[in-house]
């Protein structure tokens, strides 16, 4: 009647300019459109053309503007003036900072390069930092993978030449049954959500296996609230059911896996359990057509899964035979595992049946003709629409490697890897363990290391051991304690360096890892180790250099700070040599570039390494005349060549920028990337999109893209022979022998076919509740806490208890409890949760902060109520009285076993603040503003 | 007795899929980002780095645990912003006329230069869709991104709300709910979309798609029904030996 | 609801002020000259003081005039008109009494009606809120009006009327509380309708959307302990009705007793009004699991 409306501008100007770069609020590396107003960042949204996120953006990504403008940003290089841990610093110039670093490091390089331990966090430039460390000559380099998900990466690579993690993905467009193990958020966070959306739209079934029903598991059609640490048993039981019912893809197993490969089956033979191979080292099979022994890859060969072969008095049986013996037994019936897993036996059967039904009854064909490596032509591609994904829930246990292997075996027997509807690799994967480098550790003072640090061992001969058998590396990677530690053990560096075990170091150089806080097990202990002094009053770890962009807890423990820029202020490359942004249908890489210039005296860390490398005269960082080779990281990205024609970026190579993969350096390359929206994609041709490890067209394409130097088809390894080699050594074969105290453990855990064992329960008697953490989707580790928007969502964290446990302990929401483990105690607020495994408690990860860090006020809820579960977790297992230091890690890969934690819980009076409280650190940055109301365009 | 338009040409709104929302808060933050930089005053934050952080948001994601009579509890993530009600009580209570419902598309807006910050509209809204901005002293609410959806400075495909554009799980859909043929209307029809608090009589335009049935994959003992899946696990032959015999026989057929 | 002092003061004081004006308007007591001046000053101080207090509640008091525009739909706007009209008419009427010793009774009656209308509009602001079931009842205007009229009588020195009306207001107050206590439960709005997840099972709030605070939590999710509320109710009813009644009945110290009765009543009303807000359950609290 009297309706009236004011005039409204429906088409306001959105921004002056859009700059396209790559997000860094987590490791997913989505493309972002940065809207600029008056030269400032005004608004960030997803880039619709970007292969990773197709325009969507998560909460962290959208909150990037607050991270970029955080009051916690470091402003200048600093040197420590107060005691370590106090946070008292003096601002210095870059010139002085680089001189100090050079003065510390140059003598080490000349005399004992291993005295530098250089470890980097979740950085995305490992191929660069690794190269730098290699040129320096220290064997002590790794990134964070050892405490993150190395189990997942190695289990995948040793089994099928590629892992879940960020190296593969389900065929979201075709899969009809998707099973997710132990994932809260993952690295591939936006793609997984986008994939789930596709499944939901098609009405495909999602099964979430997780003790906790939140996030992805909340929207799963079926939730399996498994008891932590028992996934291996559950999976082996599924394998049992499927094998027993013959619901396995025999054709796939025969053609593409080692199931038909013959193994020495004579227990008296020194080669017992090893493959039968020809002179070229090729695995041998029996051809079903001819009945003859033949290398697996010959044209026309149809490997036999059942045939046995006797030669020189030794019977050889196919891998598949051993699988039948191992998995059909009573140990793995649903009834045998149900109680331990906390899943009723009928439900295990129901899930196995559904896997069988969808894999076989809903199989379909895609109309892509292709030719396999044996030259056989296939008119179509057979799809099995069952796919799996898993992450740290299965990998961050001390039995995680074998559990992840078991999951791969399950996928493979269903014939659902690299087929339509199944799990697919992203280039540069597939790439089997044998195509990866082996670890290198030969130190020559004053010269580079003999090769890349990290790699994939094939047997005892590849371990990083000194002639006396002691570890070469400070983290004891590639030793008998954890032979296949392909990512190193960053979580052991401080502990080992402090203990002088295996030796003392001089300088600890770290980058982008909050090692005195949430990324360490046992932060309290770590803080003591970092500040501990010897008889002469010197720090036991003499020098610490650290690069961070923000005022984190770790900053307080460094002697020299190299302040980094924010992600919007520097060049970066997300390279095919490292952890690229490829999709299953395309190889892709990306860059970051300074969409704004820093307004502080900070420098991109990689650029600083170019400077430091030149000052130290590292080969690769100086020209023949000794002058600095790379002006900065952008210069390195553009001009560095790893192999002729192969550099950090694959796109726009060649003089005119038209070559992909291989080609001379193109001085305009970065501009081409910027022009293209910050990334480069090269699509895989249709007939090459599936069956990649065996598909001739894919192999050729990959060679063209410089992913391989020559085609290298291979068989999946249901049977991981390298593990058997370690077992053989433990049984007394060969001349590199493990120490006696490890023999039994190696025999028990390093089974070549996946097995399940309970994580070492020593010393945890009486602690019978599992305690876990989960990533909140809207918070990134500790660094999200400085974000004014995100911290309103997750400013403190309760410990969630299952309903029955709440009742049993007389607890109500908001009460406080004392939670203790064999190692420590915390006092924290609790909250009830019904959709939770009854033996499990959990909290959000990394919400708790130390007073004084992150430019937060001292009474911030992150400090007063927030807490870290880490105080209950130790990097070592409880002492066994044998004087040895047993790492709380997977005995095969060294993966930190965060989720093996067991606790007990008692009600207590509410304290004033959560406990433990660490005394405040001095903030090296000015106090934050109180209120913000901030509009760039005003 | 109302200053609501008698009729709106279209009913633009959101359809939120509770079956798919993973509770990631992406929509919350992209909304905060867009609306800080666009329509009206920026969305401010108080004690931004201090003890009691609190700020203005136009969209919030709750989560609920739902305990069925039998079986395990479910967890449902529940995003909520203004539902652009047809019978918007927030509009009729407004003494200044600052709150209004657009006749073209039914979007409910606050004209900030008329708002006295009395808070009544927020009292009248049953959904908690309005928040007073502490710094500016005016009422803030979801604008349905009225400054995006018609914005000629944006490419056509971007003329949708920021929260919809960003949602990684595709749990938010935008469209005209007055048009029975629109994609959103059809989604509502197919999936049985519902109104929140229908008894409040607000006639929300936004609809919620309920979560699909959960935990259907149970053993027969659990569900009490016959086991349709059982045949899939009929053993081929018991024990490893028998299995290998089966294998031989099967391979011959391959 | 958050018991904001400005709104509590406003509604309580202006209720008393307009109640007094209403009595003055019908010529009780029949005062003129400086006595009338004193009565009118008191009434205006209360009524206008209350209005000014309410301005503190606004984010933009300087735009307050805009609040007159939406009288067709908004009770707040109507209240603005009614209060201004009442104050103007009563000002003219009062001027007659004070300066001209004249009682222009039609003006007085209209002013009295407008005064009560103002109180009614104030109460309707709350009554119309379907979102607050406790308020969404005819007992809300009954409660406001009965208090205003009784308080006005007390201030106007109408002892007999005041005694009857105080008793009545006390009874209305008790009934208002009693029905209010059932209101949310019988409103039909609960967790199940709020989330529409009730078909699946019983709904419990799990994680809030933010660990930080916000406007909604501050404004609508005030939770008052049951025991505490019961105590305050007793205090309110004693101060509001019982004590004034006893004082009015007491034979000695008449003026002092009357003054004390007024103070006690005012304190009682303020307490009851505090409870009126503090106990009001806004349905939005359901979303936060705070009901
Ligand atoms: N209890 C428990 N603990 C855990 C885990 C768990 O599941 N449970 N997970 C573990 C895992 S998998 C991981 S990966 C770790 C992660 O732990 P961290 O890697 O320590 O993660 P952040 O806390 O984010 O710390 C990284 C540091 O990088 C800094 N930083 C951020 N941006 C930049 C930049 O642009 N340049 C530089 N130079 N620095 C920057 C941050 O300020 C911060 O100090 O936590 C581990 N800790
Ligand atoms: N938003 C956000 N995203 C992130 C990060 C972040 O901090 N924030 N961090 C990034 C990093 S560094 C990493 S490593 C990845 C990690 O990605 P995720 O692996 O998804 O990380 P977690 O949160 O450790 O999740 C572990 C999950 O495993 C479950 N779980 C624990 N034990 C078991 C078990 O025994 N069995 C099963 N089935 N489940 C179990 C836990 O309940 C939890 O849901 O996320 C990355 N992405
Ligand atoms: S998932 Fe989020 S934080 Fe990670 S890169 Fe993508 S947008 Fe950025
Ligand atoms: S949701 Fe609330 S604010 Fe939005 S139109 Fe409805 S009543 Fe008004
Ligand atoms: S706060 Fe503003 S928009 Fe809301 S009712 Fe008051 S004047 Fe109207
Ligand atoms: S439509 Fe726009 S204003 Fe409304 S919730 Fe979404 S992003 Fe926020
Ligand atoms: S962005 Fe989408 S999935 Fe994430 S909380 Fe919002 S609606 Fe849910
Ligand atoms: Mo990680």
């Amino acid at each position: 009647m009297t309706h009236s409306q004011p005039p409204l501008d429906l088409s306001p100007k959105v921004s002056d300019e859009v700059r396209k770069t790559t997000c860094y609020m987590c490791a997913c590396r989505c493309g972002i459109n940065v809207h600029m107003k008056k030269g400032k960042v005004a608004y960030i949204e997803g880039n619709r053309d970007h292969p990773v996120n197709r325009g969507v953006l998560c909460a962290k990504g959208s909150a990037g503007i607050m991270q970029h403008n955080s009051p916690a940003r470091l402003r200048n290089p600093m040197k420590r003036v107060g005691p370590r841990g106090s946070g008292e610093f003096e601002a210095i110039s870059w010139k002085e900072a680089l001189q100090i670093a050079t003065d510390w490091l140059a003598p080490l390089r000349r005399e004992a390069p291993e005295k530098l331990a250089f470890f980097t966090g979740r950085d995305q430039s490992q191929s660069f930092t690794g190269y730098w460390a290699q040129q320096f000559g220290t064997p002590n380099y790794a990134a964070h993978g050892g405490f993150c998900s190395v189990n997942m990466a190695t289990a995948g690579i040793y089994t099928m030449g590629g892992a879940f993690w960020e190296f593969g993905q389900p065929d979201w467009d075709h899969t009809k049954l998707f099973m997710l193990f132990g994932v809260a958020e993952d690295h591939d966070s936006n793609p997984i959500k986008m994939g789930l959306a596709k499944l939901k739209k098609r009405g495909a079934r999602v099964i979430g296996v997780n003790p906790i029903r939140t996030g992805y598991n909340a929207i799963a059609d079926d939730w399996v609230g498994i008891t932590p640490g028992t996934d291996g048993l559950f999976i082996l039981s599924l394998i049992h059911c499927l094998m027993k019912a013959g619901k396995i893809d025999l054709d796939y197993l025969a053609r593409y896996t080692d199931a038909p490969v013959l193994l020495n089956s004579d227990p008296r033979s020194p080669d017992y359990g090893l493959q039968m191979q020809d002179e070229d080292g090729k695995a041998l099979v029996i051809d079903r057509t001819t009945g003859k022994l033949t290398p697996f890859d010959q044209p026309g060969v149809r490997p036999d899964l059942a045939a046995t072969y006797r030669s020189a008095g030794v019977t050889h049986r196919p891998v598949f035979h051993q699988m039948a013996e191992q998995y059909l037994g009573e140990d793995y019936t649903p009834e045998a595992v149900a109680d331990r897993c906390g899943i009723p036996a009928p439900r295990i059967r129901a899930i196995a049946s559904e896997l069988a039904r969808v894999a076989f009854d809903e199989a379909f064909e895609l109309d892509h003709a292709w030719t396999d490596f044996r030259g056989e032509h296939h008119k179509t591609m057979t799809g099995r629409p069952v796919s799996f994904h898993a992450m740290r829930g299965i990998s961050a246990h001390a039995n995680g490697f074998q559990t992840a292997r078991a999951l791969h075996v399950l996928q493979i027997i269903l014939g659902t890897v690299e087929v339509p509807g199944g799990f697919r690799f992203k280039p540069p994967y597939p790439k089997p363990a044998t195509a990866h480098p082996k670890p290198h550790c030969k130190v020559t003072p004053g010269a580079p290391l003999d090769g890349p640090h990290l790699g994939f061992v094939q047997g005892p001969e590849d371990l990083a051991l000194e002639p006396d058998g002691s570890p070469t590396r400070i983290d004891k990677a590639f030793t008998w304690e954890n032979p296949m530690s392909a990512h190193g053990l960053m979580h052991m560096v401080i502990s080992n360096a402090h203990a002088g075990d295996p030796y003392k170091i001089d300088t600890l150089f770290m980058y982008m890892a909050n090692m005195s806080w949430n990324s360490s097990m046992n932060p309290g202990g770590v803080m003591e180790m970092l500040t501990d002094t010897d008889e002469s009053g010197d720090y036991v770890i003499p020098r610490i250099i650290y690069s961070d962009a923000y005022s984190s807890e770790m900053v307080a423990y460094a002697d020299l700070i190299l302040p980094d820029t924010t992600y919007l202020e520097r060049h970066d490359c997300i390279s095919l040599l490292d952890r690229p942004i490829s999709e299953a249908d395309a190889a892709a890489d990306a860059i970051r570039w300074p969409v704004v210039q820093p307004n502080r005296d900070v420098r991109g860390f990689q650029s600083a390494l170019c400077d430091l490398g030149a000052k130290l005269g590292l080969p690769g960082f100086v020209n023949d005349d000794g002058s600095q080779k790379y002006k900065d990281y952008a210069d390195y990205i553009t001009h560095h060549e790893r192999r002729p024609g192969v550099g950090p970026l694959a796109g726009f190579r060649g003089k005119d920028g038209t070559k992909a993969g291989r080609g001379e350096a193109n001085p305009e390359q970065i501009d081409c990337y910027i022009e293209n929206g910050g990334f480069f994609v090269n699509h895989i041709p249709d007939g090459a999109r599936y069956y990649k490890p065996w598909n001739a067209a894919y192999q050729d394409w990959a060679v063209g893209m410089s992913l391989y130097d020559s085609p290298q088809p291979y068989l999946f390894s249901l049977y991981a022979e390298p593990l058997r080699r370690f077992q053989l050594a433990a049984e007394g074969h060969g001349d590199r022998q493990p120490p006696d105290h490890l023999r039994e453990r190696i025999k028990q855990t390093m089974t070549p076919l996946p097995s399940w064992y309970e994580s070492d329960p020593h010393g945890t008697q009486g602690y019978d509740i599992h305690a876990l953490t989960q990533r909140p989707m809207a918070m990134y580790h500790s660094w999200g806490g400085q974000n004014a928007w995100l911290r309103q969502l997750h400013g403190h964290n309760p410990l969630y208890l299952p309903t029955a446990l709440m009742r049993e302990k007389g607890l109500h929401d908001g009460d406080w409890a004392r939670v203790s483990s064999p190692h420590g105690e915390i006092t924290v607020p609790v909250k009830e949760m019904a959709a939770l495994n009854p033996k499990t408690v959990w909290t959000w990860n990394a919400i708790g902060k130390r007073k004084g860090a992150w430019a937060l006020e001292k009474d911030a809820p992150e400090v007063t109520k927030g807490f870290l579960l880490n105080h209950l977790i130790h990097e070592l297992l409880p002492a066994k009285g044998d004087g040895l230091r047993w790492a709380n890690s997977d005995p095969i890969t060294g993966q930190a076993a965060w989720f093996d934690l067991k606790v007990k819980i008692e009600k207590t009076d509410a304290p004033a603040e959560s406990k433990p409280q660490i005394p405040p650190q001095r903030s090296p940055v000015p106090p934050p503003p109180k209120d913000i109301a901030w509009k760039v365009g005003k | 007795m109302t200053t609501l338009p008698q009729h709106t040409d279209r009913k633009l709104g959101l359809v939120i899929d509770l079956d798919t929302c993973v509770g990631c808060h992406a929509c919350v933050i992209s909304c905060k980002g867009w609306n800080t930089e666009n329509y009206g005053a920026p969305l401010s934050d108080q004690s931004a780095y201090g003890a009691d952080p609190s700020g203005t948001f136009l969209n919030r994601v709750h989560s609920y645990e739902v305990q069925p009579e039998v079986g395990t509890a479910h967890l449902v993530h529940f995003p909520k912003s203004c539902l652009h009600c047809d019978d918007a009580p927030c509009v009729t209570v407004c003494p200044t006329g600052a709150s209004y419902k657009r006749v073209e598309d039914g979007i409910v807006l606050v004209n900030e230069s008329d708002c006295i910050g009395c808070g009544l509209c927020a009292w009248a809204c049953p959904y908690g869709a309005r928040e007073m901005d502490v710094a500016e002293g005016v009422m803030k609410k979801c604008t349905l991104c009225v400054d995006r959806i018609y914005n000629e400075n944006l490419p056509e495909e971007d003329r949708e709300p920021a929260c919809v554009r960003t949602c990684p799980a595709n749990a938010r859909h935008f469209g005209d709910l007055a048009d029975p043929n629109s994609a959103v209307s059809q989604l509502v029809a197919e999936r049985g979309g519902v109104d929140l608090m229908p008894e409040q009589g607000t006639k929300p335009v936004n609809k919620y798609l309920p979560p699909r049935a959960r935990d259907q994959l149970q053993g027969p003992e659990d569900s009490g029904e016959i086991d349709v899946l059982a045949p899939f696990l009929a053993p081929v032959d018991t024990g490893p030996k028998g299995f290998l015999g089966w294998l031989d026989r099967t391979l011959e057929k391959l | 609801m958050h018991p904001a002092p400005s709104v509590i003061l406003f509604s309580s004081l202006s209720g008393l002020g307009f109640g007094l004006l209403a009595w003055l308007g019908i010529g009780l007591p029949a005062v003129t000259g400086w006595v009338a001046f004193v009565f009118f000053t008191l009434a205006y101080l209360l009524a206008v003081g209350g209005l000014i207090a309410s301005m503190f509640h606004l984010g933009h008091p300087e735009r307050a005039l805009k609040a007159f525009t939406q009288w067709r739909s908004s009770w707040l706007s109507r209240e603005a008109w009614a209060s201004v009209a009442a104050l103007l008419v009563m000002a003219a009427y009062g001027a007659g009494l004070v300066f001209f010793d004249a009682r222009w009774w039609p003006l007085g009656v209209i002013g009295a009606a407008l005064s009560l209308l103002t109180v009614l509009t104030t109460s309707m602001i709350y009554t119309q809120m379907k979102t607050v079931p406790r308020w969404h009842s005819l007992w809300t205007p009954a409660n406001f009006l009965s208090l205003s009229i009784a308080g006005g009588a007390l201030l106007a020195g109408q002892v007999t009327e005041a005694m009857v009306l105080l008793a009545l207001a006390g009874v209305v107050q008790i009934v208002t509380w009693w029905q209010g206590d059932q209101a949310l439960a019988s409103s039909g709005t609960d967790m199940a309708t709020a989330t529409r997840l009730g078909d699946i099972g019983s709904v419990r709030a799990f994680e809030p959307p933010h660990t930080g605070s916000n406007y909604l939590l501050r404004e609508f999710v005030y939770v008052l302990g049951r025991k505490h509320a019961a105590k305050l109710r007793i205090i309110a009813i004693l101060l509001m009705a019982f004590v004034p009644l006893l004082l009015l009945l007491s034979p000695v110290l008449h003026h002092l007793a009357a003054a004390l009765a007024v103070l006690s009543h005012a304190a009682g009303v303020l307490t009851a009004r505090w409870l009126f807000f503090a106990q009001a359950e806004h349905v939005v609290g359901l979303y936060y699991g705070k009901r």
Side-chain angles (χ1 to χ4, degrees), chain A residues 24 67 121-122 144 147-149 187 392 511-515 518-520 546-554 562 564-567 570 605 773-775 780-784 786 845-846 854 869-870 873 898-899:
Chain A
Y24 193 69
Q67 164 137 341
R122 277 156 311 115
H144 79 296
F147 61 64
C148 182
S149 268
H187 286 288
R392 292 185 64 254
Y511 162 51
M512 212 191 110
N514 205 358
M515 288 305 289
N518 58 292
S519 59
S520 272
Y546 181 51
S547 168
D548 201 310
Y550 307 96
S551 171
S552 68
E553 282 87 355
M554 184 60 203
L562 305 178
D564 205 346
T565 66
T566 73
Y567 73 116
R570 63 169 177 251
F605 176 66
T773 55
Q774 296 203 97
R775 309 283 191 266
Y780 201 57
H781 294 284
S782 61
W783 91 41
Q786 66 189 308
N845 193 41
W854 302 105
L869 208 58
N870 301 44
I873 310 175
W898 301 95
F899 295 157

Side-chain angles (χ1 to χ4, degrees), chain A residues 2 792-796 800 813 831-833 844, chain C residues 70 72 204-213:
Chain A
T2 53
Q792 293 183 52
L793 308 181
H794 293 288
H796 50 89
Y800 289 101
D813 284 4
K831 205 160 188 277
E832 177 183 337
M833 182 182 192
W844 295 120
Chain C
Q70 303 301 308
R72 282 193 185 82
R204 187 176 80 91
F206 180 57
E207 283 215 300
H210 41 88
T211 59
S213 176

Side-chain angles (χ1 to χ4, degrees), chain A residues 44 294 441 448 655 725 897 920:
Chain A
I44 299 176
T294 164
C441 61
K655 288 259 143 41
R725 296 204 187 98

Side-chain angles (χ1 to χ4, degrees), chain B residues 101-112:
Chain B
K101 187 169 176 72
R102 279 165 51 88
V103 73
E104 301 89 335
D105 47 26
I107 297 177
V108 174
L109 288 179
V110 172
N111 176 6
E112 289 177 15

Side-chain angles (χ1 to χ4, degrees), chain A residues 22-32 46 52-53 56-62 124 185-191 193 567 592 777 780:
Chain A
T22 308
C23 186
Y24 193 69
M25 295 285 287
C26 89
C28 185
R29 298 147 307 166
C30 300
I32 50 175
V52 171
N53 56 316
V56 308
L57 209 62
C58 82
K60 296 162 282 137
S62 298
Q124 294 150 19
E185 168 70 343
D186 207 310
H187 286 288
D188 227 9
S189 33
N190 278 332
K193 294 181 189 80
Y567 73 116
R592 278 184 205 93
M777 290 182 181
Y780 201 57

Side-chain angles (χ1 to χ4, degrees), chain A residues 612-678:
Chain A
L612 187 57
K615 275 182 84 82
L616 288 165
L618 303 188
F621 287 87
V622 286
N623 296 310
D624 294 343
D625 65 357
S627 60
Q628 180 160 345
K629 185 158 182 192
Y630 302 114
K631 169 161 103 352
D632 56 16
Y633 193 37
D635 194 18
Y636 168 91
I637 292 171
T638 313
H639 293 108
H640 174 74
E641 285 182 298
R642 210 32 83 82
R643 309 195 298 278
V646 178
L649 290 173
F652 312 105
R653 297 195 72 82
K655 288 259 143 41
D656 54 355
T658 55
K659 293 194 180 143
R662 250 177 250 268
E664 328 68 288
N666 166 14
E668 315 291 323
Q669 192 181 29
I670 288 182
D671 292 333
C672 297
Y673 270 79
I674 294 174
E675 184 87 351
N676 197 47

